[in-house]
Amino acid sequence: MSGTRLDLSRLGHPLNGAASRRRSLFLVYKKEDVCFSSSVIPRRSNRMAFKVLVLTALMAAALARPDRAPAYGYGAPTPAYAPAKYDFNYAVNDPPSGNDFGHQESRDGDLTQGSYYVLLPDGRLQRVTYNVNGDSGYLAEVTYEGEAQYPTQQRAYTPAPVYG
């Protein structure tokens, strides 16, 4: 191994204490391996430590990567194998608040029929009857029952009921 002999006792190195007095301490280094900072550290070990650190980081990143991309949302909708078939209705009649409305609908495959109504503030009842047959579109018929009334006096305030 060719290199330069380095006498640490002449450099004022921390190793020049009692141990270096008992025997002469000489180290052989290649010139590119010597780093003269606060201590003598071979550059080759710095490079090796850096390589180990980079390799460890790459391995950690590779192991942390999921096997497949994460799935977001609810996924693809399942296909409907049977034609849609349902029937529903509801109605609300609350005299203290003046609310009176309802809805009824039925569907069998592509045919949908229904109606809804609402009591308007002028006292008339608005009723909408509709049909949908496949791709023909929404066909609605709107009718009004009663005469519009505009009272001169406002209706007396009725407080909301209190439920226990």
Side-chain angles (χ1 to χ4, degrees):
M1 180 170 159
S2 67
T4 305
R5 287 183 65 174
L6 182 63
D7 184 358
L8 294 177
S9 62
R10 292 185 193 164
L11 293 175
H13 194 270
L15 292 177
N16 66 358
S20 65
R21 287 190 199 120
R22 276 187 238 133
R23 63 180 196 268
S24 69
L25 183 61
F26 290 98
L27 298 175
V28 177
Y29 284 108
K30 291 181 182 176
K31 287 187 179 183
E32 65 269 6
D33 290 343
V34 178
C35 174
F36 289 100
S37 62
S38 62
S39 63
V40 178
I41 301 173
R43 287 188 186 164
R44 188 174 298 149
S45 66
N46 280 346
R47 281 190 237 141
M48 186 63 170
F50 179 73
K51 288 178 183 178
V52 169
L53 179 68
V54 169
L55 181 63
T56 304
L58 287 174
M59 287 178 57
L63 292 174
R65 188 175 145 254
D67 292 337
R68 59 186 174 91
Y72 298 105
Y74 296 104
T78 57
Y81 295 107
K85 184 169 183 150
Y86 61 84
D87 185 18
F88 74 87
N89 63 36
Y90 66 86
V92 174
N93 188 1
D94 185 32
S97 67
N99 287 322
D100 186 6
F101 58 91
H103 187 188
Q104 174 276 323
E105 182 175 294
S106 63
R107 180 173 180 181
D108 189 4
D110 287 340
L111 178 62
T112 305
Q113 299 177 27
S115 66
Y116 57 90
Y117 67 92
V118 62
L119 181 63
L120 300 173
D122 63 8
R124 296 180 296 163
L125 185 70
Q126 179 185 24
R127 184 177 307 274
V128 178
T129 305
Y130 58 90
N131 291 313
V132 179
N133 192 357
D135 293 332
S136 67
Y138 182 84
L139 303 173
E141 179 184 341
V142 181
T143 59
Y144 294 93
E145 297 174 12
E147 290 292 322
Q149 299 174 6
Y150 303 102
T152 57
Q153 290 185 358
Q154 294 292 328
R155 191 167 52 122
Y157 173 74
T158 306
V162 177
Y163 300 103

